[in-house]
């Protein structure tokens, strides 16, 4: 889309008080993600902030440690709707302040399994929806963690009610 079309899109979202996220199309691991999910906050929910977020996202740089597939994506911007996830008891389903989001892995168009985006090495979701919880946090002791500094040994494990919620939704 042209800059004018993109700005018209942003203006339309803002005028109708839609919630949205601006993020880099070439991003990974929460690179260049800008939420516009609080329509009541006039300091951040405005056209100028959205334009700055888009400029920041399109100019963001992918870490050299990322897979070559991510590094080959042409820089751009994605605008997606914010979504609210809540358990039946009304409590929020979030992890580190972000919604629960499964990253689905495929090989030649076939689903192999999935991981939780915020905790890729805490558990594995098999192709048939079964959740396999690792004995320890694989991120904190992995080779990639030692070199890229991603993952922390002192990261708090996911609570059991949230893990049960995920299992229930996948069954």
């Amino acid at each position: 889309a042209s800059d004018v079309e993109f700005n018209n899109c942003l203006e339309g979202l803002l005028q109708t008080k839609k919630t949205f996220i601006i993020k880099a199309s070439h991003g990974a691991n929460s690179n260049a993600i800008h939420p516009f999910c609080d329509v009541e906050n006039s300091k951040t929910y405005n056209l100028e902030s959205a334009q700055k977020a888009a400029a920041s996202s399109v100019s963001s740089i992918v870490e050299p440690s990322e897979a070559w597939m991510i590094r080959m994506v042409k820089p751009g911007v994605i605008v997606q709707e914010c979504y609210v996830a809540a358990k039946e008891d009304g409590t929020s389903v979030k992890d580190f302040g972000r919604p629960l989001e499964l990253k689905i892995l495929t090989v030649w168009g076939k689903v192999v399994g999935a991981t939780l985006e915020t905790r890729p090495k805490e558990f594995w979701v098999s192709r048939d929806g079964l959740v396999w919880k690792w004995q320890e946090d694989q991120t904190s002791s992995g080779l990639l963690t030692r070199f890229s500094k991603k993952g922390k040994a002192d990261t708090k494990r996911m609570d059991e009610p949230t893990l049960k919620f995920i299992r229930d939704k996948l069954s």
Side-chain angles (χ1 to χ4, degrees), residues 163-171:
L163 190 56
K164 181 182 180 321
F165 174 81
I166 292 169
R167 282 189 169 119
D168 291 346
K169 293 301 175 187
L170 291 170
S171 60

Side-chain angles (χ1 to χ4, degrees), residues 85-126:
K87 297 179 191 171
E88 284 76 9
D89 65 3
T91 60
S92 178
V93 180
K94 292 192 175 189
D95 191 27
F96 298 119
R98 299 184 301 193
L100 296 175
E101 186 173 43
L102 286 177
K103 184 185 292 186
I104 299 172
L105 303 157
T106 61
V107 175
W108 305 114
K110 302 283 184 188
V111 172
V112 175
T115 60
L116 189 62
E117 201 281 325
T118 55
R119 297 169 179 267
K121 308 271 174 84
E122 190 164 333
F123 64 86
W124 174 258
V125 180
S126 66

Side-chain angles (χ1 to χ4, degrees), residues 23-156:
K23 63 184 182 179
S25 61
H26 56 290
N29 298 311
S30 302
N31 175 40
I33 296 176
H34 306 277
F36 289 82
C37 303
D38 183 1
V39 298
E40 302 304 320
N41 187 345
S42 61
K43 290 181 181 178
T44 58
Y45 191 83
N46 59 59
L47 184 59
E48 182 182 353
S49 294
Q51 289 169 330
K52 285 180 181 176
S56 169
S57 291
V58 79
S59 64
S60 70
I61 297 172
V62 178
E63 294 293 323
S65 61
E66 293 296 345
W68 68 269
M69 294 83 60
I70 299 281
R71 295 191 314 266
M72 296 299 115
V73 175
K74 183 178 178 184
V77 174
I78 296 171
V79 178
Q80 76 178 47
E81 184 178 351
C82 292
Y83 52 92
V84 177
K87 297 179 191 171
E88 284 76 9
D89 65 3
T91 60
S92 178
V93 180
K94 292 192 175 189
D95 191 27
F96 298 119
R98 299 184 301 193
L100 296 175
E101 186 173 43
L102 286 177
K103 184 185 292 186
I104 299 172
L105 303 157
T106 61
V107 175
W108 305 114
K110 302 283 184 188
V111 172
V112 175
T115 60
L116 189 62
E117 201 281 325
T118 55
R119 297 169 179 267
K121 308 271 174 84
E122 190 164 333
F123 64 86
W124 174 258
V125 180
S126 66
R127 180 182 188 150
D128 56 4
L130 295 175
V131 176
W132 297 90
K133 189 173 176 185
W134 305 124
Q135 293 292 326
E136 63 181 58
D137 184 352
Q138 305 293 309
T139 305
S140 64
S141 59
L143 181 65
L144 180 60
T145 300
R146 291 195 298 271
F147 288 104
S148 71
K149 308 298 184 230
K150 292 179 184 175
K152 298 177 183 157
D154 60 350
T155 299
K156 185 179 171 188

